[in-house]
Amino acid sequence: MSFRLKLIIIGLIIIPSYFLFINPYGLNRKITKIDNFIKTALSEFNIKPFDLVKEVHEFKKIRFHRIETIVKTYNVSSDFSFESFRAVLEKELRRNGLHILLWEKNVKENTYRMDIGLRNIKLYTLMLRAIKKETIKVPVSYKKAKVAIVIDDFGYNIRNIDSWLNFDRPITFSILPNLSYSTQIASLANDKGREIILHLPLEPKDEEAEAQEKFTITTSMPQKEILKILESAIKSVPNIKGVSNHQGSRATEDKKVMGIVLKELKKRNFYFLDSLVTNNSVCREIASSLNLKFVQRDVFLDNVDDVEYIKNQLNKLARIAQTKGFAIGIGHVHLKTLEALKEASPFLEEEGIEFVYLSELLK
């Protein structure tokens, strides 16, 4: 191998490595991303900007460059759900190639420390200090508002189905089509007077494609095939009043696909619930043009399978409802979701929340 060829090969290795692993600009952008992810996750747990008590910017040498890293300390309440917070944050970090490198608790000082970075490079340290926050109890005048709870992904099995059927608040059953128990669960739910909707599989984006259902409507399908799948799905889940999208981050951004689907739902007098899995959904726009009954999700309840987290999400849902008059929460067939609903619903009702079926929000 000639000396010149060796230099070219070395260059092809070093230059990309610089921009991917050494480039300080790239690392600083990662630090900014981490900070944004942390702020978003903390806000989900009602930790506000004024709870930040200390912020230190440190300069350290990483891969031959001087990088500015961040250390932030927040006060949180003594009942803060640390494990739930970690799960929420870790999920978002992993999507962006970042990791929690260290997670430790100091029992004596009642603090939690989290080191976050890229591979084995620490870029950010988050400190959470649990304290007893003084609260002044003031009589609150709660507004009356309606909340619809939709539970997705019925159909895979009938485990715990009796527990869901016997829950003594209105729950809208969202059933996946063409599964082993789709029709049976729809029949059982109908016998109990439950509202039923079809949870229609629609094409997700690449990162979710591996988990998509067998009979999924995709953006590459011709109209005839889309309508054939939709017809089969509706037949497999009898007694439905409406349809929602299962996944669909790609399909619900596609005007052609959603135009075909929603036009057919209009013909059949069904309503459509947009699960809102993408900010670029075209469903509201198309539904409006067709004069189709339409609603959209406000809060996902159980992104973390933890009772305290779900109860916190239910509280958030209630506050939204009391602001605009109603709100829609989507959960999944998890026992912890049911447990959280059982624990939280009596207290929310005392605050003026009325649990209703989804169709009641369309009247």
Side-chain angles (χ1 to χ4, degrees), residues 77-320:
S77 61
S78 54
D79 61 350
F80 184 81
S81 182
F82 292 97
E83 291 298 332
S84 296
F85 171 76
R86 176 188 175 184
V88 169
L89 181 60
E90 197 162 27
K91 186 177 179 182
E92 194 58 42
L93 289 170
R94 281 179 177 171
R95 285 178 183 169
N96 290 272
L98 298 161
H99 302 280
I100 296 174
L101 306 175
L102 173 70
W103 169 257
E104 64 180 11
K105 177 180 180 181
N106 186 319
V107 178
K108 187 177 179 181
E109 296 182 8
N110 214 16
T111 60
Y112 290 75
R113 174 189 176 126
M114 191 184 299
D115 289 341
I116 300 164
L118 177 69
R119 296 176 181 83
N120 63 342
I121 304 171
K122 184 176 77 173
L123 303 174
Y124 196 110
T125 296
L126 174 66
M127 303 288 291
L128 300 175
R129 186 173 64 189
I131 62 170
K132 288 184 179 180
K133 292 187 177 181
E134 296 296 327
T135 57
I136 301 173
K137 292 188 177 180
V138 180
V140 179
S141 177
Y142 292 106
K143 291 182 180 179
K144 290 187 177 181
K146 293 183 177 182
V147 162
I149 302 294
V150 179
I151 299 299
D152 282 349
D153 295 354
F154 284 102
Y156 290 113
N157 56 65
I158 54 172
R159 290 195 301 270
N160 307 312
I161 190 65
D162 287 339
S163 299
W164 282 104
L165 289 169
N166 294 324
F167 179 55
D168 58 356
R169 266 79 176 182
I171 291 290
T172 300
F173 277 54
S174 180
I175 304 175
L176 286 161
N178 297 307
L179 297 178
S180 300
Y181 298 95
S182 302
T183 305
Q184 182 181 349
I185 291 172
S187 178
L188 290 169
N190 186 60
D191 290 345
K192 278 282 190 177
R194 299 297 190 180
E195 183 158 315
I196 304 161
I197 63 175
L198 165 66
H199 198 35
L200 181 66
L202 297 175
E203 183 182 3
K205 290 184 178 172
D206 293 340
E207 61 268 22
E208 299 169 323
E210 288 181 10
Q212 76 179 37
E213 297 297 321
K214 182 179 178 182
F215 299 103
T216 296
I217 291 172
T218 68
T219 54
S220 61
M221 287 178 177
Q223 178 173 336
K224 187 176 179 180
E225 190 173 358
I226 290 172
L227 292 175
K228 183 180 177 182
I229 291 175
L230 179 57
E231 174 70 24
S232 171
I234 291 170
K235 282 183 178 178
S236 77
V237 184
N239 303 305
I240 64 171
K241 288 192 175 182
V243 175
S244 68
N245 57 291
H246 172 66
Q247 298 182 328
S249 51
R250 186 181 301 283
T252 55
E253 293 181 358
D254 190 289
K255 288 188 176 182
K256 182 205 82 172
V257 170
M258 295 318 300
I260 295 167
V261 170
L262 298 187
K263 190 174 181 180
E264 185 64 22
L265 300 189
K266 173 69 176 177
K267 285 181 185 177
R268 296 170 182 257
N269 198 30
F270 294 143
Y271 63 77
F272 184 73
L273 164 65
D274 187 353
S275 302
L276 209 61
V277 293
T278 168
N279 291 329
N280 299 316
S281 171
V282 298
C283 296
R284 177 182 286 279
E285 176 190 345
I286 296 171
S288 178
S289 70
L290 295 169
N291 198 25
L292 171 73
K293 291 178 181 177
F294 174 87
V295 284
Q296 69 181 30
R297 184 266 310 165
D298 291 289
V299 175
F300 278 122
L301 300 176
D302 50 12
N303 284 335
V304 178
D305 191 24
D306 175 85
V307 172
E308 291 306 313
Y309 173 84
I310 298 166
K311 285 162 67 175
N312 182 67
Q313 293 297 91
L314 284 165
N315 282 325
K316 182 190 292 186
L317 185 68
R319 301 294 85 81
I320 292 170

Side-chain angles (χ1 to χ4, degrees), residues 58-74:
E58 298 177 337
F59 289 91
K60 57 192 291 189
K61 213 171 207 183
I62 299 177
R63 304 283 175 87
F64 314 111
H65 289 281
R66 195 164 174 259
I67 304 298
E68 183 181 17
T69 62
I70 299 175
V71 180
K72 285 190 177 182
T73 304
Y74 287 85

